Every structure is written in C-alpha cells, then in structure tokens.
Amino acid sequence: MAARSARPALYISVDIEADGPIPGPYSMISFGAAVAGRQDGISYTAADPEQHTFYRELRPISEQFVPEALAVSGLDRDRLLREGADPALAMAEFRTWVAEVSAGAQPVMCGYPAAFDWTFLYWYLMRFGGASPFGHSGCLDMKTLYATKARVPLRAAVKGRMPGELLSRRPHTHHALDDAVEQAELMSNLMLWNPAQAPRG
C-alpha cells in the first residue's frame, strides 16, 4: 500500500504574555502570531513575518496574578479589565485567522520555547470554544530544533550560544506580536540552517 502523502505544514510563530505561571488560576493577557514559513516535503519557504500577523490583548479571567509576571509585559491590568478582548471572541477570531492563512496546509504552532506558550494557547483554545486548529500536539519547539541540528544538550540551546546568522536582528521587546515576528525569523533561519560541522556538547 502506498504511503499517504502528508499535507504541507504552515509554521506559525506564537508568543504569549501571561500574569502567572499556569493557565486557569492565572491569565493569558496578550498573544501575537506571525506566519514563519511553509514546508512542503523537504522544501521550506520562509515568509515575510510581518505580512500575516494576529494580535490581541485579553481581559483577565481571574483575580489572581503575579506582579513580577505582569510587569514583564508592560501591560496595565486595570486597562485590560476594562478594554481587553473577551477570551472566547479572541479565540474564535484566532481560529478563523489560522484557517485563512493556512488554507491547503496543516497549521503548526512554533515557539521559543514552545512549552510555556503552547500550554496557555492550547488551554485557552480548548476552554473558550473547545477546538484547536493545531490539534492537541501541533507545536514545534525551536529550542529542540536547534539542539537537534547543533547536536547540543537542550539546556545549551540558548540564543546566546547560537550562531549570529540564526538570530533575528529585531529586538525582543516582550510585546507579544513583536516577539512572535522576531521568533518567526529565527524559525525560518533554523529550518534553512544546515551546519557543515555541528558543534558537539
């Protein structure tokens, strides 16, 4: 029996800002997404990460927050309580956006690192609407991708040790959309990177 050919993958860089360590007791207060590129078989095509983007600031879902975590984003909690998007509406709009930009391809969330951002994103998608356009496991961790290609331990997969040509020249601002765009460039650089002699950790 012939093997079923896989659909192309569309990689979407996502960055979230939260006011605590886990979703539920704490809130995702903003998230940004940027299309990084498309993989069809062994071919990867980088996208302009500013061309297709999504950003929302969300109304907090609980009274709990960690001041230090909230401060990282620079967002004002009182303003978010008044003006932040309803999470259910924001997740519905995000699902629609993902469907539009990934038409004909399988959307894959990518993050640096993916574990924290995916935890919040997937929880919110399921809690507010009960559906994830990425399925239950459609995420790729850029730290793991680098560690595998560079042949270094995961703990050594930090931007400060990466070759300069892999890094985006954009600043990491802790604004969710800025960081999603920056990390979309990192994702494409990693996907296209073929180190001739990978360092060994």
Side-chain angles (χ1 to χ4, degrees):
M1 186 170 74
R4 187 177 65 176
S5 60
R7 278 197 294 164
L10 187 85
Y11 293 99
I12 298 174
S13 170
V14 177
D15 184 83
I16 75 101
E17 298 296 329
D19 63 12
I22 57 172
Y26 302 99
S27 306
M28 179 167 71
I29 52 177
S30 69
F31 71 109
V35 172
R38 179 184 174 105
Q39 184 178 18
D40 193 348
I42 64 171
S43 175
Y44 179 86
T45 304
D48 174 354
E50 293 185 325
Q51 185 174 0
H52 298 292
T53 62
F54 186 94
Y55 177 71
R56 291 293 184 275
E57 294 178 359
L58 305 176
R59 185 173 66 238
I61 61 172
S62 82
E63 296 181 359
Q64 296 185 61
F65 68 96
V66 177
E68 295 81 4
L70 178 64
V72 170
S73 70
L75 295 173
D76 181 85
R77 183 177 172 85
D78 290 336
R79 181 182 67 79
L80 292 175
L81 287 167
R82 296 190 311 269
E83 303 173 7
D86 174 79
L89 177 59
M91 293 302 106
E93 292 172 338
F94 181 60
R95 288 186 198 92
T96 298
W97 178 83
V98 171
E100 290 173 352
V101 298
S102 65
Q106 178 67 46
V108 177
M109 176 271 191
C110 55
Y112 182 91
F116 179 78
D117 301 83
W118 174 255
T119 299
F120 273 89
L121 182 67
Y122 182 70
W123 190 92
Y124 264 72
L125 285 165
M126 298 307 293
R127 173 64 180 82
F128 299 104
S132 165
F134 309 105
H136 68 276
S137 61
C139 66
L140 186 150
D141 178 37
M142 294 182 214
K143 287 174 68 71
T144 303
L145 179 59
Y146 173 75
T148 301
K149 284 196 165 190
R151 300 182 189 176
V152 300
L154 187 63
R155 291 288 186 181
V158 296
K159 290 180 181 178
R161 295 187 182 183
M162 290 182 183
E165 66 267 22
L166 293 179
L167 303 176
S168 171
R169 295 186 180 182
R170 301 172 190 269
H172 193 81
T173 66
H174 292 290
H175 182 284
L177 182 54
D178 288 349
D179 293 353
V181 170
E182 175 219 353
Q183 289 163 186
E185 289 190 341
L186 173 62
M187 175 64 184
S188 289
N189 291 341
L190 284 168
M191 289 294 286
L192 295 169
W193 183 49
N194 290 301
Q197 291 184 331
R200 297 183 181 272

